[in-house]
Amino acid sequence: MNVWLLGGSCGSAQGIAAEEDTMDSRTGFEQDRDYATSGHGEGLKLEPCFQTDSLLPSSNASLIPQFLSHTVIGRNLDPTILFPSSQAVALPHDYKCGACPGEEVQAPAFPRTCAPGPVPCAGDGDQLSNQHPRDQLSNQHPRDQLSDQHVRAKRARVESIIQGMSLPPTPQAFDTNLEAALRHERERGAEMPQESKRKPRVPQQGVGAVGRVAPTGGSSHAKGCQQLKEQLCFLEQQLRWLQEKFYQVCDSEDAAQTQEDTEKVQPLPGKPKDRLNKDSATATSNPRKAPLRGSVLEVHGLEEAEDRGDTGGLPSAVSVLSQALKHELAVVTSQVVDSVLKTVWPKADSHSQKQHHSLLMLGPDARREYSAGGKCRKPLAKPSPMNAPGSLGSPQAGVLTGALGKSLGSYAGSFSSRGVRKSSRIPTVGYSLGSATPVQDSQLLSQLLGYGQHSLWGSDSRESPSLERGCPEPLNLHWGTVKLRSSTVRQQQHHPLPLSPANRESLALQPAGRDGLVLRDMPSSGFAMCRLSLTPRQMQEALTPGHLKKAKLMFFFTRYPSSTLLKTYFLDVQFSRCITSQLIKWFSNFREFYYIQVEKFARQALLEGVVDACTLQVSRDSELFRALNMHYNKGNDFEVPGRFLEVASLTLQEFFSAVRAGKDADPSWKKPIYKIISKLDSDIPEGFKAAGCSQELLHS
DNA sequence: CCACGCCCTG
DNA sequence: CAGGGCGTGG
C-alpha cells in the first residue's frame, strides 16, 4: 500500500487507509472469480425431494411464495401434499395461530439470520411461522378465521389419517433434502412441549440448529446455490423484519391483530450472529466468503437449469434459478411493503403505491415531484468511521431500528427533499390511519424499509458529522454548502406515475414472453400480483438506459463491482455472458472516465503549485466533483454519498503524489493507484436492488 | 479457455 | 459508450 501518501497527515487519507485495513479485502483486481470455491453442500442436488415443478420458475408461479410456504413460513402448507408422512405438527400451531387471544406476541429484538444447517432456507419446523405471510399481512376477519380453523381442523384429521397410512420414507435417502430436514425438525418438535416448538424467544440465530452440520460436498453447483441461499435468507429476513416492525407499529393500535403473527416468523436457524451485519452485506457484495451449504435450492436449481441455459460464472442452471429467485424475492418484498401499507392505510392504497414507488426509485428528478426516499443506508458489513453519510450500519439494523415503534419517530425528518424532512414525527402508536399524510406515508414506509436516517436526495445534505469523525481534516468543510437540487422545496404532492395502477396491473397480466423486453413496472404491481397470483417474470434480456443510469449511480459506491455483485443488483435482468460483459464494460468505462478526470485535476493542481497532497480534497463544489457528478449523475437528482468524495479525494491525492514524484514515467504507474482505489468500494444501498429500480430511474 | 481489466479508438 | 487488442490470472 502506498505509504508515502497514506502516511501523510491527511485526515481523510488516514481514515480511508484505516478502513482499508479493516475492510474485507477485495484484493485489488483479483476479482471474485473464485468467490465460491468452497465446496460444501454438494451431493444432494440431484435428488429432488419433491416435484420440482412446484418450485421452479417454469411453473410460472411465484417462486418465493412457494419457497416460503413450502419451507420457511409455510405453516399452512398442507403437509399431505409434500409430506405424506408428516406428523401433523402444524396442527397445534394452526390452532394457536388463529385469533387465539392467549397467544403472546413475540417480538424479536433483531432479525434472524440464515440457517447454516443443511436446509437453511427451509427453516426448522419448530421455528416456522404459524401463519402464512399473506395471512399475516392481511387483516383477517373473524369470519375468515373461523373458516380457517375449520379448514385446519379438517386438514388435521386428514393428516392424521394419512399419517397412519403412509410409510416413512427411507431416512438415508432423504437426508440431504428438504423433506428430511423438515422431518427431522418435526421429530424434534414432537419431543418438545408445544410451546417450545415455536421459535425461540430470543432470536439468537438458530440456537436450536446451530449444531447441525451442513451436508458436505464440493460441486461447483453448490457455490451458486449457497449464494442463492444467502441472498434468499437475507431477503427473507428483511421481509420478516418488515412484518415484525409493522406489527410493532400497530401493536397498540390493534392488539388483537398483532398477536397472531409476527413473531412466529421463524428465524432461520443457524447462522452466526454476526452474519446479520456482516453477511448481509458481504453475502451480496462478497459472495465468495459465503460458505456453502446444501439445500433444496440446489436440488431444484439444477434441473431447471439445463433448460434455460446460461450464464457466466455460475452453473447455468443455478444462475437461472438465481435470477428467478432474486427477482422473486425482490417482488415479494415489494408486496409485503404494499400489504403493510395497505393495512395501515386501507384507504390510501393508491397513495401507498405511489409512495412505494417513489421509494423504490432512486432518482426523482426535478421534473417529478414525488420524491424518493433515498436510502443511503449502507449495509455495511464492517462498521467504519468512514462510512458514507447516511450509512446506518448493517442493513438489518437500519431496517429494524427504522421501523421499531420506538424509533419510528426518531428518524422522522431524515427524508429531506420534498419537504418530507420537516414533517412531524410519526406517532409511535395510535396514529390516525385516515389522517396519514403523504409525508407520513413516506416516512413510515421508508422507515419500514429502513431508509431512514439519510436521504440521498436530501436537500439538506449535510453529512452527519459523526460519520466523519475519523477525519480530523476539514474534509467536509464544504459539505452542506452545496445544494444538489435546485428545487428542494417540493410539495408533498405526488405526481402520477408513468403507469397508473390500472395500467400496471394490466401490464402485469401480459405474458412475459422471452422476447419481451417490455419495461414492466414491477415495484408497484405488488398488489396486483398478489391478488392475481401473477408471477413477475419480466426479466429483461437487454440492458436499458435505466440500467445504465443505475449503474452510474452505483459507481458512486463501487468502482470495481464483481459480476456477482452486479447480478445481485440487477435483478430484473436476465444475465447472460453478454449482459455481464456489458455491465462490466460499463464500469470499466466509468473508471476510465473517473481516473482521467482525477488525473487531470491532479496535474492541474500540481501546476497550480499545490504542495501538500492533503490539501486536495474533493468537495461537492469542486470542479472535479462537478465533472464527475455531471457524468454519473447528470440529473443531479441523486445525492452523492460522502464516501465517494472521500474516495475521490484520495484518488486525487494519489495521482497528485504520483505525478509529483514523477512516477508517471512508468508505463504502469497508475496500477498502484488502481489497486488502492479498488479497495475502497463500499456497499451499495439495498435500494438499488429494488425491483423496478432501473425502470424508475428512467423516468426520473 | 475464460473472465477481467486496461488501453486505445471511433 | 462500444469494440477490439492485449495482458494477466485461474
Side-chain angles (χ1 to χ4, degrees):
Chain A
M1 186 163 303
N2 272 336
V3 184
W4 85 81
L5 201 148
L6 294 178
S9 58
C10 181
S12 65
Q14 289 180 332
I16 293 178
E19 175 169 10
E20 256 180 79
D21 294 334
T22 58
M23 232 167 136
D24 270 17
S25 54
R26 192 178 246 225
T27 48
F29 306 106
E30 120 204 305
Q31 292 298 318
D32 67 336
R33 218 124 357 132
D34 49 1
Y35 58 82
T37 49
S38 51
H40 319 359
E42 137 144 313
L44 58 169
K45 1 184 193 336
L46 295 180
E47 186 169 46
C49 42
F50 37 69
Q51 303 311 306
T52 56
D53 56 342
S54 67
L55 287 176
L56 295 177
S58 57
S59 68
N60 195 32
S62 183
L63 276 177
I64 299 313
Q66 293 186 53
F67 266 112
L68 293 179
S69 61
H70 286 196
T71 63
V72 184
I73 310 177
R75 253 310 145 54
N76 286 339
L77 167 65
D78 187 337
T80 65
I81 294 176
L82 297 177
F83 313 111
S85 61
S86 136
Q87 320 278 312
V89 172
L91 184 54
H93 290 289
D94 284 349
Y95 279 132
K96 291 201 303 179
C97 73
C100 175
E103 186 164 356
E104 67 282 17
V105 175
Q106 180 182 340
F110 25 90
R112 299 158 186 90
T113 54
C114 230
V119 195
C121 295
D124 286 332
D126 60 337
Q127 297 179 317
L128 295 180
S129 168
N130 284 356
Q131 277 195 301
H132 186 285
R134 274 180 288 251
D135 292 328
Q136 296 179 2
L137 292 173
S138 59
N139 290 315
Q140 199 172 34
H141 299 302
R143 178 163 38 51
D144 295 325
Q145 292 175 351
L146 283 178
S147 59
D148 257 350
Q149 294 192 340
H150 277 305
V151 174
R152 287 171 184 156
K154 271 188 184 175
R155 187 163 58 208
R157 284 196 293 277
V158 174
E159 275 184 51
S160 59
I161 293 175
I162 293 178
Q163 188 183 328
M165 317 176 7
S166 62
L167 307 174
T170 316
Q172 302 95 316
F174 301 86
D175 271 354
T176 55
N177 64 31
L178 174 60
E179 179 171 356
L182 291 179
R183 188 175 60 243
H184 290 167
E185 283 305 327
R186 286 194 298 274
E187 291 169 355
R188 216 171 51 141
E191 306 168 2
M192 323 199 266
Q194 286 184 7
E195 279 310 296
S196 47
K197 280 194 240 168
R198 298 176 57 186
K199 104 178 156 317
R201 280 272 124 158
V202 181
Q204 296 281 34
Q205 285 52 23
V207 216
V210 179
R212 298 196 304 173
V213 183
T216 60
S219 94
S220 57
H221 298 305
K223 306 175 189 175
C225 290
Q226 178 53 39
Q227 279 182 260
L228 288 181
K229 285 182 281 185
E230 301 267 345
Q231 289 167 11
L232 182 61
C233 290
F234 174 57
L235 287 175
E236 285 173 356
Q237 285 169 24
Q238 291 193 318
L239 200 78
R240 281 179 226 124
W241 275 46
L242 286 175
Q243 296 176 338
E244 292 168 4
K245 287 186 290 184
F246 163 67
Y247 284 108
Q248 284 172 14
V249 169
C250 300
D251 192 1
S252 57
E253 185 180 321
D254 183 345
Q257 275 203 356
T258 20
Q259 69 166 53
E260 43 187 346
D261 3 331
T262 336
E263 46 329 339
K264 333 175 153 209
V265 211
Q266 60 317 30
L268 292 174
K271 279 189 180 172
K273 234 189 257 188
D274 54 359
R275 265 194 84 59
L276 256 199
N277 294 328
K278 288 200 160 129
D279 291 16
S280 57
T282 45
T284 55
S285 63
N286 244 342
R288 63 194 108 132
K289 291 174 41 173
L292 298 178
R293 293 179 210 109
S295 102
V296 242
L297 294 183
E298 294 165 321
V299 177
H300 302 293
L302 298 182
E303 323 193 345
E304 170 106 337
E306 317 309 300
D307 302 336
R308 298 182 158 214
D310 154 40
T311 127
L314 301 176
S316 58
V318 175
S319 187
V320 170
L321 178 58
S322 166
Q323 296 306 316
L325 285 175
K326 290 173 187 168
H327 190 256
E328 291 285 346
L329 283 169
V331 172
V332 168
T333 300
S334 294
Q335 292 175 353
V336 170
V337 173
D338 281 338
S339 299
V340 168
L341 288 178
K342 184 180 183 181
T343 303
V344 177
W345 294 291
K347 296 173 184 175
D349 282 359
S350 57
H351 218 59
S352 303
Q353 290 194 27
K354 287 179 187 177
Q355 288 293 347
H356 181 190
H357 223 77
S358 15
L359 242 190
L360 293 175
M361 298 188 353
L362 287 173
D365 70 356
R367 299 181 297 284
R368 272 174 213 295
E369 303 282 333
Y370 53 82
S371 63
K375 34 174 116 265
C376 210
R377 163 179 69 89
K378 142 168 142 186
L380 66 151
K382 51 251 166 172
S384 130
M386 298 307 279
N387 291 340
S391 302
L392 278 186
S394 77
Q396 283 80 2
V399 174
L400 242 205
T401 55
L404 286 177
K406 180 184 176 212
S407 45
L408 238 190
S410 61
Y411 288 137
S414 47
F415 283 79
S416 34
S417 52
R418 284 73 207 213
V420 173
R421 175 168 238 318
K422 297 210 147 265
S423 61
S424 55
R425 288 171 49 106
I426 296 175
T428 298
V429 294
Y431 41 30
S432 162
L433 297 185
S435 64
T437 66
V439 168
Q440 290 174 320
D441 280 356
S442 175
Q443 289 182 324
L444 176 62
L445 179 52
S446 347
Q447 285 159 357
L448 284 175
L449 294 177
Y451 296 165
Q453 184 69 17
H454 205 81
S455 168
L456 291 177
W457 324 107
S459 52
D460 172 309
S461 60
R462 63 178 157 33
E463 269 70 42
S464 18
S466 61
L467 292 173
E468 304 303 323
R469 61 182 175 291
C471 306
E473 283 294 313
L475 170 59
N476 53 345
L477 271 188
H478 306 297
W479 296 8
T481 62
V482 182
K483 50 160 68 175
L484 290 180
R485 265 157 287 322
S486 49
S487 55
T488 50
V489 182
R490 290 183 165 72
Q491 299 307 323
Q492 286 90 358
Q493 180 136 43
H494 294 70
H495 285 182
L497 294 168
L499 289 177
S500 69
N503 288 333
R504 283 195 288 274
E505 198 165 317
S506 60
L507 272 182
L509 282 167
Q510 294 176 8
R514 311 269 313 154
D515 54 290
L517 295 184
V518 205
L519 285 183
R520 276 185 213 199
D521 190 69
M522 318 205 300
S524 46
S525 53
F527 274 140
M529 293 191 291
C530 227
R531 292 195 304 269
L532 306 172
S533 298
L534 294 179
T535 300
R537 198 154 296 302
Q538 35 289 76
M539 298 273 278
Q540 313 235 332
E541 295 179 351
L543 293 171
T544 66
H547 291 124
L548 175 59
K549 184 168 183 179
K550 175 178 173 179
K552 286 182 172 181
L553 295 182
M554 283 170 67
F555 184 77
F556 283 125
F557 299 90
T558 176
R559 269 61 60 187
Y560 291 83
S562 67
S563 58
T564 304
L565 183 149
L566 291 175
K567 285 172 184 168
T568 64
Y569 277 89
F570 287 87
L571 302 176
D572 58 341
V573 175
Q574 272 286 354
F575 273 84
S576 64
R577 198 170 297 169
C578 185
I579 295 291
T580 303
S581 297
Q582 190 180 6
L583 265 174
I584 293 287
K585 179 66 177 176
W586 279 358
F587 277 85
S588 179
N589 287 331
F590 297 162
R591 283 193 296 273
E592 203 159 29
F593 178 82
Y594 173 76
Y595 287 127
I596 289 175
Q597 291 300 309
V598 175
E599 181 185 353
K600 187 172 74 179
F601 281 85
R603 291 182 182 284
Q604 189 176 311
L606 195 60
L607 292 176
E608 293 175 353
V610 174
V611 290
D612 185 2
C614 293
T615 63
L616 294 175
Q617 296 292 341
V618 178
S619 62
R620 294 178 192 279
D621 54 357
S622 70
E623 286 300 314
L624 174 55
F625 176 80
R626 288 222 271 262
L628 297 174
N629 192 53
M630 185 60 72
H631 191 71
Y632 309 115
N633 181 29
K634 268 198 181 66
N636 207 22
D637 41 18
F638 179 88
E639 183 163 315
V640 180
R643 166 73 170 175
F644 179 73
L645 296 179
E646 296 164 6
V647 174
S649 296
L650 181 60
T651 309
L652 180 60
Q653 292 161 16
E654 292 289 352
F655 268 98
F656 176 84
S657 299
V659 173
R660 186 178 53 184
K663 297 190 176 186
D664 54 344
D666 178 347
S668 56
W669 67 285
K670 294 178 182 176
K671 289 215 165 168
I673 300 176
Y674 294 160
K675 185 164 187 175
I676 292 173
I677 304 307
S678 70
K679 293 180 178 179
L680 302 181
D681 283 7
S682 23
D683 299 308
I684 302 169
E686 295 297 307
F688 281 92
K689 291 179 179 173
C693 164
S694 305
Q695 286 82 351
E696 290 302 332
L697 286 171
L698 254 190
H699 306 303
S700 63

